């Protein structure tokens, strides 16, 4: 028997043991599950299983103590067994937040980008690609090369993430390709990760004057082509999997300068035109009404937090709402200051009247921890005579603090002139009162969100990898939101670009709260099935099916 066969047999045995203990305990927390599994009579007689359980428990403890990264857990045989357990769960999962561009695999992109590079506009495409990815990536010769290009690297963040999504955008210039992309996505997600519902975010129009975002051929692609192509692709897969379902959510870029300046005088004018175009498409194709019933906003939100910033899209959203559309919005994801990140969510609720908040990190970060860790970083640099880097998180947060009575302390911090002991006390007090004010504002907005029944979609990998607000995955606020009673969903964002998948996101949520998050609760959130006894019955059926 070769090593792979031995490994596969080990994973299968671990999966069977996990399925039995999870079903018999009704899906309790991960730590409790592992403890009971270790004491199970069926495991005690199998040293090879016991060794894996003990090593996983040790790793889980080391992860909790910041001694190992989460990858050590995700690569463990227990994780492979849990992956199979979740993949085999009888109910499919609801992918509540996924984008088209970052969720297309390299084997889908490669032959299509290769065709463009061999065509009459070869020089144009090569320049676009080399400007974004670097000259070393021209020519493109292999699937592996494309895979490397479309994945976010260690140390890269939100700005680079938006840039590397360019490659798939280059091929999405026809109705046919959109149809093929939708079918490919649906089949991959169902086959590999048991995803049976997709809420797809996609760009209705890619025409823009924004530098670095111009796509050759985008002007010839109509909004109708995009919607019908995606619809046909998903419907084609639905014929193979009748239980598969989907929502198409046109997503509008919210940056003030992302609009077609050649044909419109303002962003508001272009947005209204897109809204009217969308409504005409639905009038022309009534079959779309069931699946095109909500919209979203995407893009870099750092400069979109004041009330005036929201007015450009306010009337377009109002028109959609009166036609029965729900409004979802990416907010609280990135910010100059935490206060502005909360303000963005506040205005999205009050002005756009959103139904669902996507990301929402600014409502999950602990302000006291956030500001004190910032204080420690700034003080360390100050002791080294280092000025604050202009444009950094620390720089903007220091400028946002109230230094009215102590302007010289602020100047010393900004320029790197060492603070005296008395000035350090002034700094920590200023930080303390800022954190207190922000915390009050945050809780007020979160409580109003819960009262208004605005749901929230959590995206652990996206939130951790794309921002610099979390030290690691354990700081993600999913468990806190769940305890507060927030209506939650789970999504992967751009799962291929972010090197993750839906089941891996489930595992991450389990590993980051192994004491409190119950497996049954996780299954309820991710499957959308709120009836706990039914989940219990399904778990028991998994146990029985192993016999």
């Amino acid at each position: 028997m070769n090593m792979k066969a031995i490994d596969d047999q080990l994973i299968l045995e671990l999966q069977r043991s996990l399925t039995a203990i999870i079903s018999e305990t009704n899906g309790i927390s991960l730590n409790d599950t592992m403890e009971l599994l270790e004491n199970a009579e069926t495991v005690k007689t199998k040293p090879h299983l016991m060794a894996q359980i003990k090593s996983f428990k040790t790793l889980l403890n080391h992860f909790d103590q910041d001694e190992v990264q989460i990858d050590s857990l995700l690569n463990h045989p227990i994780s492979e067994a849990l992956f199979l357990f979740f993949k085999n769960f009888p109910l499919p999962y609801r992918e509540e937040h996924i984008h088209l561009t970052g969720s297309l695999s390299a084997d889908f992109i490669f032959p299509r980008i290769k065709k463009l590079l061999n065509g009459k506009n070869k020089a144009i495409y090569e320049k676009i690609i080399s400007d974004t990815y670097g000259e070393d990536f021209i020519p493109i010769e292999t699937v592996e090369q494309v895979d490397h290009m479309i994945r976010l690297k260690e140390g890269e963040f939100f700005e680079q993430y938006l840039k590397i999504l360019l490659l798939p955008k280059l091929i999405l210039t026809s109705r046919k390709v959109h149809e093929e992309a939708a079918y490919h996505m649906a089949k991959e997600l169902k086959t590999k990760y048991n995803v049976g519902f997709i809420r797809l975010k996609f760009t209705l129009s890619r025409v823009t004057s924004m530098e670095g975002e111009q796509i050759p051929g985008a002007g010839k692609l109509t909004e109708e082509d995009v919607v019908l192509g995606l619809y046909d692709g998903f419907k084609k897969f639905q014929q193979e999997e009748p239980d598969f379902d989907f929502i198409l959510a046109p997503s509008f870029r919210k940056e003030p300068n992302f609009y077609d300046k050649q044909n419109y005088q303002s962003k508001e004018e272009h947005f209204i035109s897109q809204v009217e175009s969308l409504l005409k498409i639905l009038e022309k194709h009534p079959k779309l009404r069931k699946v095109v019933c909500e919209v979203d906003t995407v893009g870099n939100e750092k400069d979109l937090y004041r009330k005036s910033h929201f007015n450009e899209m306010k009337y377009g959203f109002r028109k959609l709402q009166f036609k029965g559309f729900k409004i979802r919005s990416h907010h609280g994801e990135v910010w100059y200051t935490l206060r502005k990140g909360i303000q963005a969510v506040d205005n999205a609720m009050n002005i756009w009247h959103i139904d669902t908040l996507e990301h929402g990190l600014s409502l999950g970060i602990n302000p006291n921890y956030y500001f004190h860790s910032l204080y420690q970083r700034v003080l360390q640099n100050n002791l080294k005579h280092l000025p604050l880097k202009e444009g950094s998180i620390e720089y903007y947060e220091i400028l946002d603090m109230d230094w009215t009575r102590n302007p010289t302390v602020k100047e010393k911090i900004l320029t790197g002139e060492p603070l005296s002991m008395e000035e350090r006390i002034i700094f920590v007090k200023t930080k303390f009162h800022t954190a207190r004010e922000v915390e009050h504002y945050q809780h007020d907005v979160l409580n109003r969100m819960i009262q208004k029944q605005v749901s929230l979609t959590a995206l652990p990998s996206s939130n951790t990898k794309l921002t610099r607000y979390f030290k690691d995955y354990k700081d993600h606020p999913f468990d806190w939101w769940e305890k507060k009673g927030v209506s939650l969903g789970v999504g992967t964002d751009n799962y291929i670009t972010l090197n993750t998948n839906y089941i891996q996101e489930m595992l991450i949520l389990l590993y980051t709260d192994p004491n409190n998050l119950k497996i049954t609760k996780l299954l309820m959130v991710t499957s959308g099935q709120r009836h706990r006894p039914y989940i219990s019955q399904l778990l028991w059926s998994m146990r029985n099916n192993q016999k």
Side-chain angles (χ1 to χ4, degrees), residues 116-129:
L116 294 177
L117 290 170
N118 289 335
K120 63 179 181 179
N121 293 320
K122 175 182 178 181
I124 296 174
Y125 285 108
E126 285 186 343
K127 184 179 187 310
I128 292 172
I129 292 169

Side-chain angles (χ1 to χ4, degrees), residues 104-112 143-144 146-147 150 184 188 192 496:
L104 297 175
S105 61
D107 59 346
F108 179 84
I109 297 170
F110 175 71
R112 293 164 177 83
V143 173
E144 290 73 23
V146 170
D147 190 68
I150 62 176
H184 172 80
E188 287 274 296
K192 295 181 177 180
I496 289 176

Side-chain angles (χ1 to χ4, degrees), residues 42 55 90 120 151 209 214 230 260 267 284 383 392 497:
T42 53
S55 68
K120 63 179 181 179
R151 292 184 186 271
S209 302
Q214 284 115 6
L230 295 172
D260 182 5
K267 181 178 180 65
K284 184 178 177 181
L383 292 172
S392 66
T497 304

Side-chain angles (χ1 to χ4, degrees), residues 297-360:
T297 67
V298 296
N300 193 333
E301 65 179 274
K302 281 187 174 181
D303 293 305
L304 196 84
Y305 55 89
R306 291 196 180 100
K307 289 181 180 179
S308 59
H309 297 157
F310 287 79
N311 288 334
E312 286 183 316
M313 302 176 81
K314 173 181 176 181
Y315 296 104
F317 283 140
R318 180 186 295 173
K319 190 166 189 176
L320 288 171
Q321 284 167 326
F322 275 85
K323 293 292 184 179
F325 275 75
K326 291 188 175 181
I327 311 298
R328 308 170 77 93
S329 188
H330 290 51
H331 273 99
E333 181 181 10
V334 291
W335 53 77
Y336 290 119
T337 67
L338 181 55
R339 191 196 311 270
K340 289 175 180 175
I342 298 167
Q343 185 180 355
V345 176
D346 191 12
N347 285 325
M349 284 199 299
N350 292 334
I351 299 173
W352 288 353
H353 303 291
I354 61 172
D355 298 279
T356 300
L357 175 64
E358 311 284 348
H359 294 285

Side-chain angles (χ1 to χ4, degrees), residues 80-120:
E80 294 186 54
L82 282 169
F83 185 99
L84 289 177
F85 166 79
F86 285 123
K87 184 181 177 183
N88 293 335
F89 185 66
L91 290 181
Y93 301 118
R94 295 177 62 87
E95 168 58 89
E96 296 287 359
H97 182 128
I98 188 169
H99 294 271
L100 185 63
T101 46
S103 302
L104 297 175
S105 61
D107 59 346
F108 179 84
I109 297 170
F110 175 71
R112 293 164 177 83
I113 199 71
K114 192 69 176 170
K115 184 178 180 181
L116 294 177
L117 290 170
N118 289 335
K120 63 179 181 179

Side-chain angles (χ1 to χ4, degrees), residues 301-437:
E301 65 179 274
K302 281 187 174 181
D303 293 305
L304 196 84
Y305 55 89
R306 291 196 180 100
K307 289 181 180 179
S308 59
H309 297 157
F310 287 79
N311 288 334
E312 286 183 316
M313 302 176 81
K314 173 181 176 181
Y315 296 104
F317 283 140
R318 180 186 295 173
K319 190 166 189 176
L320 288 171
Q321 284 167 326
F322 275 85
K323 293 292 184 179
F325 275 75
K326 291 188 175 181
I327 311 298
R328 308 170 77 93
S329 188
H330 290 51
H331 273 99
E333 181 181 10
V334 291
W335 53 77
Y336 290 119
T337 67
L338 181 55
R339 191 196 311 270
K340 289 175 180 175
I342 298 167
Q343 185 180 355
V345 176
D346 191 12
N347 285 325
M349 284 199 299
N350 292 334
I351 299 173
W352 288 353
H353 303 291
I354 61 172
D355 298 279
T356 300
L357 175 64
E358 311 284 348
H359 294 285
L361 283 189
S362 60
L363 299 189
I365 280 184
N366 184 321
N368 292 294
Y369 180 90
Y370 174 85
F371 282 105
H372 197 76
S373 60
L374 182 139
Y375 160 78
Q376 291 175 332
R377 294 194 304 273
V378 171
L379 190 59
Q380 287 174 2
N381 284 336
N382 183 260
L383 292 172
K384 297 175 184 177
H385 299 244
L386 295 175
L388 289 187
K389 183 180 178 181
E390 191 170 342
S392 66
I393 294 170
E394 293 79 9
Y395 177 82
Y396 286 120
E397 290 290 5
I398 292 298
L399 289 182
D400 190 57
M401 293 180 186
D402 184 3
W403 300 99
T404 306
R405 299 177 63 184
N406 301 284
T408 56
V409 176
K410 180 185 79 170
E411 290 305 315
K412 282 188 172 185
I413 292 171
L414 292 174
T415 59
E417 183 180 344
L419 301 176
S420 66
M421 289 303 297
E422 184 178 345
E423 288 169 331
R424 291 184 201 176
I425 297 298
I426 292 172
F427 183 14
V428 79
K429 284 183 176 180
T430 303
K431 177 275 308 178
F432 173 85
H433 289 296
T434 301
R436 184 169 174 270
E437 291 170 4

